[in-house]
Amino acid sequence: MVQYTLVQSPEVILSVPGKDSTKAREKAMDQLIELMDAGKLPTELSDGFGPQQFIEVKEPSPMPHPEEDAVTQAVQLLSNLATLKLKLQESRTEALQIRAQIDILFTDDPVSEEEITSLKDGFKALKTYAQANLRYREARSQAEQARTVLDQALNSAEPETKGGKK
C-alpha cells in the first residue's frame, strides 16, 4: 500500500494498493478527481496538477529500543568469539609443533637445511595462531560484557512468580 498527499493539502491522504509507480500515481489521480468532483477537496488545484506532483507519504520506521540494540550487539560479539575460538583451535596443534622446533635455533647443535625450511614454512602457522589468540583474548573480554547483557535480557523475559496463589 502506498499513500500520497498534496503540498496544497497535506491533510488529504490518498491510499493506493501496490508500490510507488506511474500506475499507482494514476490511480491516486483518479481518487483526487473523485474528491474534487464530490466537492470534498478543501483546496482548489491549478490546471497544471499532475500525478508526478504527488508526495509519497512514508510511515516512519519504528526506532528500535536501545536494549534491543544492545542484545543484537551482544549476540554479534558472542558469534565473533565462537568463530575466533574455532580458528584458534584449528591452528593450535600445528603452531605448538612449530614452537617446539624453534628451540633448535638457540642451540649450538648442527641443523639441517630441511629443518630450517620446515621451520620457515611453519612460521606462517605460528603467526596465524598467535594473532588469532590475541584477537580471541580481546573478543573474550568484550564477550563477557555481552554475556551479561544477554543474561539480563533473558532474565527479564522470564515470567514473574505470583505469590499467594495455590
Side-chain angles (χ1 to χ4, degrees):
M1 180 76 65
V2 65
Q3 296 179 323
Y4 299 105
T5 190
L6 316 166
V7 171
Q8 299 87 341
S9 299
E11 69 281 358
V12 174
I13 303 288
L14 305 169
S15 297
V16 179
K19 296 181 180 179
D20 182 30
S21 65
T22 305
K23 193 177 241 184
R25 288 177 177 268
E26 288 172 3
K27 288 180 183 179
M29 192 68 180
D30 292 341
Q31 288 181 21
L32 181 64
I33 291 171
E34 287 177 23
L35 286 175
M36 290 171 61
D37 289 346
K40 295 181 182 177
L41 189 66
T43 306
E44 289 295 321
L45 297 174
S46 60
D47 292 332
F49 188 84
Q52 69 279 3
Q53 292 173 298
F54 281 120
I55 298 171
E56 184 179 355
V57 178
K58 295 191 179 200
E59 294 288 323
S61 57
M63 293 296 290
H65 196 277
E67 290 175 354
E68 287 179 32
D69 286 343
V71 168
T72 301
Q73 192 172 23
V75 170
Q76 288 173 341
L77 284 170
L78 290 168
S79 177
N80 183 43
L81 180 67
T83 301
L84 287 172
K85 185 168 184 149
L86 276 177
K87 285 183 181 179
L88 191 66
Q89 289 174 349
E90 290 170 358
S91 61
R92 186 174 195 270
T93 304
E94 186 180 359
L96 291 178
Q97 289 172 351
I98 299 301
R99 173 58 189 97
Q101 293 175 5
I102 290 176
D103 292 338
I104 64 171
L105 296 174
F106 297 95
T107 66
D108 292 333
D109 298 337
V111 181
S112 71
E113 194 172 322
E114 292 84 27
E115 288 175 311
I116 296 295
T117 303
S118 173
L119 261 179
K120 286 182 177 182
D121 292 342
F123 286 154
K124 183 177 179 187
L126 192 61
K127 177 183 169 188
T128 299
Y129 174 74
Q131 289 174 335
N133 193 28
L134 291 173
R135 285 193 295 268
Y136 174 76
R137 288 182 188 185
E138 176 67 26
R140 186 170 174 174
S141 68
Q142 292 173 355
E144 290 290 339
Q145 296 169 357
R147 182 170 51 175
T148 302
V149 167
L150 206 53
D151 286 345
Q152 289 172 351
L154 293 173
N155 287 335
S156 67
E158 292 180 9
E160 294 180 22
T161 56
K162 296 182 181 180
K165 292 190 178 182
K166 292 185 179 180

